[in-house]
């Protein structure tokens, strides 16, 4: 979600990491879903992108709901299918 928004704004990882006061390597890991960020880190990154934390969470919730519905339509309802690599920061 963070990466998608950053790219939509045509901003660099360096620009957003500096604005959020988060190290660039850490933000990159968060964007790729390799690190779990605290709410403070997510709020800082969201603010650097001109979003509130609530906005970011609402967008992520909407995306998760769409993903879940499409998985059911495709018949993928096994317990292990619920975590198909979609993460909040992606």
């Amino acid at each position: 979600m963070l990466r998608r928004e950053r790219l939509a704004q045509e901003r660099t990882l360096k620009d957003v990491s500096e604005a959020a006061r988060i190290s660039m390597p850490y933000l990159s890991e968060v964007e790729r879903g390799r690190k779990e960020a605290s709410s403070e880190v997510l709020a800082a990154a969201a603010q650097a992108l001109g979003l509130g934390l609530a906005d970011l969470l609402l967008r992520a919730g909407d995306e998760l709901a769409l993903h879940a519905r499409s998985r059911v339509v495709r018949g993928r309802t096994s317990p292990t299918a619920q975590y198909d690599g979609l993460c909040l920061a992606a």
Side-chain angles (χ1 to χ4, degrees):
M1 183 63 56
L2 289 174
R3 177 180 283 179
R4 190 172 303 116
E5 184 63 32
R6 178 176 62 78
L7 293 175
Q9 293 181 19
E10 298 181 354
R11 294 179 63 189
T12 65
L13 188 63
K14 182 178 189 239
D15 174 48
V16 175
S17 70
E18 287 176 355
R21 302 189 78 170
I22 301 167
S23 77
M24 193 168 56
Y26 184 71
L27 182 57
S28 175
E29 294 286 310
V30 169
E31 280 190 351
R32 290 183 286 148
R34 295 182 184 216
K35 297 282 185 187
E36 292 185 21
S38 67
S39 58
E40 291 84 6
V41 168
L42 289 175
Q47 184 176 13
L49 291 166
L51 300 170
L53 181 57
D55 297 322
L56 182 68
L57 296 176
L58 283 170
R59 289 179 184 195
D62 291 345
E63 189 170 315
L64 287 169
L66 285 171
H67 183 73
R69 281 194 295 272
S70 69
R71 198 177 59 243
V72 169
V73 168
R74 292 188 316 250
R76 297 183 66 200
T77 57
S78 72
T80 57
Q82 64 184 339
Y83 303 107
D84 283 342
L86 181 67
C87 68
L88 176 64

